């Protein structure tokens, strides 16, 4: 597997929520990443894919909720999110894609 393909596997999708739009004002972007991804891997992937400088990476592991679906119990899957802080002056437009 090439290095670029590994970077595409590290950054799965941007998270577009009300809270992620608020932190975007502080030069931060939120991505969904695999549960096995480490902070250095996430930093390298974002820097390589978007040509920006990353100053910090914070990760959040959200446990899946138990929900009912048609009377049966089900469980949402666990999700790991990475909040990536960019250097001043760098931006990522998540609407255009990679």
């Amino acid at each position: 597997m090439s290095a670029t393909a590994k970077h595409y596997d590290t950054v799965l999708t941007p998270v577009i929520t009300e809270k992620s739009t608020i932190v975007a004002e502080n030069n931060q972007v939120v991505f969904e990443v695999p549960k096995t991804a480490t902070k250095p891997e996430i930093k390298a992937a974002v820097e390589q894919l978007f040509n920006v400088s990353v100053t910090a990476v914070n990760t959040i592991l959200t446990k899946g909720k138990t929900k009912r679906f048609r009377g049966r119990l089900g469980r949402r899957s666990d999700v790991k999110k990475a909040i990536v802080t960019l250097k001043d002056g760098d931006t990522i437009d998540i609407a255009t894609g990679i």
Side-chain angles (χ1 to χ4, degrees):
M1 180 184 321
S2 68
T4 306
K6 185 176 182 185
H7 292 319
Y8 280 112
D9 290 339
T10 304
V11 177
L12 299 178
T13 179
V15 177
I16 303 172
T17 60
E18 188 173 350
K19 187 169 184 177
S20 67
T21 339
I22 291 171
V23 299
E25 296 172 2
N26 298 328
N27 224 17
Q28 294 177 329
V29 184
V30 183
F31 293 104
E32 188 175 321
V33 295
K35 287 182 268 189
T36 58
T38 62
K39 290 182 181 184
E41 289 174 353
I42 296 167
K43 179 179 179 177
V46 171
E47 286 179 341
Q48 186 73 27
L49 293 174
F50 297 102
N51 296 324
V52 293
S53 296
V54 175
T55 58
V57 176
N58 297 348
T59 57
I60 303 165
L61 185 59
T62 307
K63 300 292 185 181
K65 293 180 176 180
T66 303
K67 293 294 224 173
R68 289 193 178 273
F69 181 70
R70 293 187 180 173
R72 296 186 182 260
L73 280 178
R75 190 166 186 281
R76 292 184 185 169
S77 56
D78 298 343
V79 176
K80 186 172 188 177
K81 294 186 283 187
I83 301 175
V84 178
T85 305
L86 304 176
K87 184 178 140 189
D88 287 340
D90 288 346
T91 58
I92 295 176
D93 187 12
I94 56 176
T96 59
I98 296 175

